[in-house]
Amino acid sequence: MNSAFGFSQQAEFSFDKSTQRHKGKAKEGEIISFSYGFTNKGDAPLIISEYKVACPCTKVQFPTEPIPSGQHGTIKVTFDTKGKIGYQDREIAIHSNAKDSPSHIRFKVMVDNK
């Protein structure tokens, strides 16, 4: 007996908070960190394959092991403010086997050179 149910299993990102703001002003040259907690709300293991950012000033660390259904993980982001002045609004595309890949997270920060 064949079943179509096995083919419909998919991973699904559910971020605790997909957009974050840095409190106060950051000083130009400072490295700022953000953590994005998530849960795999799907019924298949979540596998993150890569991320894409517009600037090499943003680095991302993500779990390299599959995240089982119902389990939690964290994506860590660092932003080097060197040479960045004013309002910064950055988006990161997280590519995975989730049904709506890529998923997007973002952060906002005001960078001051004083």
Side-chain angles (χ1 to χ4, degrees):
M1 182 168 138
N2 290 334
S3 172
F5 291 112
F7 296 107
S8 64
Q9 291 185 334
Q10 287 188 299
E12 183 180 347
F13 261 118
S14 177
F15 285 98
D16 299 340
K17 189 173 182 184
S18 62
T19 299
Q20 297 188 33
R21 293 182 192 279
H22 179 71
K23 293 181 176 145
K25 290 184 180 178
K27 196 171 197 178
E28 190 266 335
E30 185 179 354
I31 295 179
I32 299 170
S33 299
F34 299 92
S35 290
Y36 298 83
F38 65 87
T39 303
N40 176 5
K41 296 269 185 162
D43 50 13
L46 174 65
I47 301 167
I48 300 172
S49 54
E50 68 176 335
Y51 69 91
K52 295 201 176 172
V53 295
C55 172
C57 56
T58 304
K59 305 284 186 219
V60 178
Q61 291 180 315
F62 56 85
T64 56
E65 297 296 318
I67 305 297
S69 176
Q71 296 298 304
H72 306 278
T74 303
I75 295 174
K76 296 180 181 176
V77 175
T78 56
F79 175 61
D80 186 350
T81 65
K82 183 178 180 181
K84 309 290 188 264
I85 304 296
Y87 183 70
Q88 306 292 313
D89 184 350
R90 304 294 169 129
E91 185 173 79
I92 301 145
I94 307 293
H95 293 264
S96 69
N97 66 329
K99 68 179 183 177
D100 293 327
S101 184
S103 298
H104 294 90
I105 55 178
R106 74 190 309 169
F107 63 87
K108 300 175 183 187
V109 60
M110 178 60 79
V111 181
D112 196 349
N113 64 346
K114 295 180 183 178

